[in-house]
């Protein structure tokens, strides 16, 4: 199968497929004409990598997962450990983004807008804001 057809089948760009070939992630065979030729197992591997990438796995993780997928003597716990590690990283990133959202929300709220030159957003951005703090817990006001 030619690279253009593989691209249409997998949803990957030709550039990505060439890159994956060049780094040895999924290598098509070179024909006598110099073109890369791909088999259905290559297409399956590329589709797998594409799905892994869409879930945010790094190329190294994709390589490890692909190796585990191809290894019939693999242990599911190894796959789970890799996925769990990635899930933890995503959870940490979400926590960081939540903090950033809260900080930016406060800046936007504090800015009056309008035509005056004073801007709470610019003032707030000029101050160092710690990014490791925990988001403020919204507590219920006493009644």
């Amino acid at each position: 199968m030619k690279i253009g057809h593989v691209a249409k089948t997998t949803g990957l760009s030709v550039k990505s497929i060439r890159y994956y070939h060049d780094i040895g992630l999924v290598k098509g065979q070179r024909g006598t004409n110099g073109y890369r030729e791909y088999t259905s197992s290559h297409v399956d591997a590329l589709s797998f990598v594409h799905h892994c990438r869409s879930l945010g796995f790094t190329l190294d993780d994709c390589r490890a997962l692909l190796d585990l997928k191809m290894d019939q003597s693999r242990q599911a716990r190894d796959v789970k450990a890799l996925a769990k590690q990635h899930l933890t990283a995503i959870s940490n990133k979400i926590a960081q983004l939540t903090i950033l959202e809260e900080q930016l929300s406060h800046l936007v709220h504090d800015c009056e807008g309008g035509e005056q030159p004073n801007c709470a957003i610019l003032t707030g951005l000029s101050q160092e804001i710690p990014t490791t703090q925990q988001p403020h817990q919204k507590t219920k006001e006493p009644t």
Side-chain angles (χ1 to χ4, degrees):
M1 199 178 310
K2 299 270 189 253
I3 197 167
H5 184 67
V6 173
K8 287 179 186 170
T9 303
T10 61
L12 289 165
S13 68
V14 169
K15 185 176 181 178
S16 292
I17 296 168
R18 285 186 183 132
Y19 179 68
Y20 295 158
H21 175 91
D22 292 344
I23 65 171
L25 188 60
V26 179
K27 288 186 73 118
Q29 299 297 317
R30 291 272 186 184
T32 55
N33 58 6
Y35 292 120
R36 293 173 180 96
E37 291 285 332
Y38 293 90
T39 63
S40 60
S41 63
H42 290 123
V43 172
D44 291 343
L46 286 165
S47 293
F48 180 81
V49 169
H50 183 56
H51 192 201
C52 290
R53 294 293 287 155
S54 73
L55 291 173
F57 284 99
T58 65
L59 286 174
D60 287 339
D61 288 343
C62 290
R63 186 182 306 277
L65 287 165
L66 191 57
D67 288 346
L68 286 165
K69 183 179 187 293
M70 301 298 186
D71 181 4
Q72 294 303 310
S73 63
R74 70 182 168 264
Q75 294 184 357
R77 74 171 144 240
D78 296 333
V79 180
K80 184 175 182 175
L82 206 154
K84 193 173 179 182
Q85 180 181 11
H86 183 60
L87 181 60
T88 299
I90 289 172
S91 295
N92 291 339
K93 187 68 167 179
I94 289 170
Q96 289 175 328
L97 288 171
T98 300
I99 292 167
L100 294 177
E101 177 187 35
E102 183 177 295
Q103 290 172 347
L104 187 55
S105 177
H106 286 294
L107 291 174
V108 169
H109 177 267
D110 292 346
C111 181
E112 295 177 19
E115 296 179 14
Q116 79 278 357
N118 296 332
C119 178
I121 295 171
L122 294 176
T123 302
L125 291 174
S126 297
Q127 301 168 357
E128 188 170 329
I129 301 172
T131 58
T132 56
Q133 71 186 31
Q134 294 298 317
H136 294 28
Q137 297 293 324
K138 294 185 176 159
T139 56
K140 194 173 183 180
E141 295 279 333
T143 55

